[in-house]
Amino acid sequence: MTDSLTEPRPRRGWRPWSRRTSRGADLAIGIPLLLLGVGWLALDYMFGHGMEVWAAQGDLDRIDAADLAHMARIQDYLVAVLVVAVLGLVFRARWTVLSQLLAAALAGALLVTAQHSWDRSHPGPAGAASEGMVSRYRENNAFRIPGEMSPASARDAQKEADRIDPVLKRLWEGGTWDPKSVRAALLEVGFQEERFGPNSEWLGGTLSVRDMGPRFETDHYITPEGALVGVSVHDDACVTAFVQKTNYQVKTNGPYPEGGCFEPPAGH
């Protein structure tokens, strides 16, 4: 009697798409991802983009930079969400895929709205702002990027900033921010006003105080109340500051190619 042997079936290698992800695991991944994504978009709009626009205080160039950065972040988020959706398809996690498609739709709607708003406020050739807009903005505004400071110069600049900060804080808390009063207060603590000769040769001093400069609002230019402060610490180091009704700020930076310690206005 001959026993018939049954040939064993060849074992197939495991593939992520060979079986569907369980509903419990699928929901446990998809729902939190959707909530985190929606929460991130909301927080970035309110506290990321919103705070940057508020801090610009009407400076159109800083507002433009905040708008462009916001759109770039949404684009990065949209790519990440679509990658997760593709992974969900591979693992046959339909609820995760659905949650990421919903997040992608929301991000896409926000991006389209932001792009439409940008296009309306920056008329130009069709599609001019949709491709490489962030890199072009940086290229066109290279003259507004401060130079690098050496470590030693940065330390000296910070020492001067620490002298200026309490003065501006006192003025701001006292409701005083006109250039004349700001200049007088800084001269009292030992700063010397920068002086130039008839041929623009430097005669001494490091302090410069001026008004806030004109800003375009709606259909005309205005000069807000307040004062801008610049202190040339070294050839490669400055302290720049401002004080106005809403707030004051003191920071250190390298000089600008065309504006010295002061950030040059837009115009290129």
Side-chain angles (χ1 to χ4, degrees), residues 7 9 16 65 71 100 102 114 118 133 135 160 162 180-181 187 190 202 208 218 252 255 268:
E7 213 173 289
R9 285 184 174 184
M71 286 189 281
Q100 295 310 285
L102 289 173
W118 173 273
M133 54 189 176
S135 62
E160 298 298 276
D162 292 341
K180 183 178 179 181
S181 298
L187 292 176
W202 182 71
S208 180
T218 310
T252 62
H268 287 200

Side-chain angles (χ1 to χ4, degrees), residues 157-158 160-169 229 239-243 248-253:
Q158 187 58 52
E160 298 298 276
D162 292 341
R163 294 175 60 200
I164 294 172
D165 190 279
V167 176
L168 296 191
K169 181 180 180 181
V229 177
V239 178
T240 55
F242 68 83
V243 56
Y248 79 95
Q249 183 184 73
V250 182
K251 66 178 182 177
T252 62
N253 55 268

